[in-house]
Amino acid sequence: KLSTAEFNVRSNRISQEIINATKDKADKALVTAEAGRLREEFSKILLGNENLFVLKRSSSGYLSGGKNLGPAGIPNEKTSDFIAVTPDEKVTFQIWVTVPKGGQAWRAWQFYTKEKELLSTRQASGYEVVEGKRYARHLITVPANAAFIRVSARMYADGLVKVERSDTFSDWTPSI
């Protein structure tokens, strides 16, 4: 999470780099105005907490409601690795995706014990057939005895997933 002070330092540094790079090449007033506009736009972005959905550690397939993943019947259907959670913690789960004709913005989550044994059957949404850009979000409360959560989503060609420890939804950011 980026603090306001750190954000200001970075945005001022970017403004100065733009001015230095365009010295004698552009009108300083125009460049300064553009840097100010960019700083204002950046300040509107709600970064939130770390994105816990790490695509490179995800698996092909979907949460089937049982212990094992179902086969990846849809191109780019992904399931997260085990994400550590604590009981009563709030977790946000969001997807942004363009659904092709006849597709579904399907997503699901399941909880597991500390031994990574299935604790609860999946919670799933998005069974309706849709087309076009879709956004879905879920505020999830971790149940007692849960130590891990896994999430699944149909990502198609451009899907983005964000899972974070929070009760507030924020803009998508890549995982670290």
Side-chain angles (χ1 to χ4, degrees):
K1 193 170 179 179
L2 197 63
S3 71
T4 303
E6 180 64 19
F7 172 80
N8 287 334
V9 167
R10 289 183 185 185
S11 63
N12 286 334
R13 188 178 312 136
I14 290 169
S15 296
Q16 191 58 50
E17 287 176 13
I18 291 171
I19 291 168
N20 291 342
T22 59
K23 199 179 293 182
D24 300 326
K25 296 177 186 158
D27 183 299
K28 184 176 179 180
L30 290 175
V31 172
T32 302
E34 182 63 13
R37 187 190 67 75
L38 289 172
R39 184 181 308 120
E40 185 177 325
E41 287 299 313
F42 287 146
S43 71
K44 293 177 185 173
I45 297 172
L46 180 58
L47 292 177
N49 297 308
E50 176 185 358
N51 186 353
L52 303 173
F53 184 88
V54 181
L55 186 58
K56 65 184 173 190
R57 289 198 310 248
S58 67
S59 300
S60 293
Y62 64 92
L63 292 170
S64 64
K67 183 175 181 175
N68 298 316
L69 295 181
I74 304 295
N76 214 14
E77 196 162 41
K78 297 290 185 182
T79 297
S80 71
D81 196 0
F82 290 87
I83 299 169
V85 292
T86 56
D88 296 319
E89 178 178 33
K90 301 288 188 212
V91 176
T92 62
F93 172 31
Q94 301 176 87
I95 66 164
W96 296 260
V97 65
T98 304
V99 180
K101 185 175 183 177
Q104 299 171 318
W106 185 89
R107 65 263 178 210
W109 63 92
Q110 290 182 173
F111 290 101
Y112 299 82
T113 66
K114 64 182 176 182
E115 294 81 21
K116 297 185 178 174
E117 296 294 325
L118 184 62
L119 180 64
S120 63
T121 58
R122 74 175 181 200
Q123 301 293 313
S125 297
Y127 287 106
E128 62 279 355
V129 175
V130 296
E131 182 179 356
K133 293 201 175 286
R134 295 287 182 240
Y135 167 70
R137 67 186 194 176
H138 302 277
L139 179 59
I140 303 165
T141 302
V142 178
N145 302 323
F148 297 97
I149 188 174
R150 291 185 88 181
V151 301
S152 280
R154 291 186 177 168
M155 299 180 68
Y156 298 104
D158 67 351
L160 300 172
V161 175
K162 185 170 188 179
V163 176
E164 64 183 319
R165 298 175 205 290
S166 180
D167 60 359
T168 304
F169 298 98
S170 63
D171 294 330
W172 182 83
T173 52
S175 56
I176 298 173

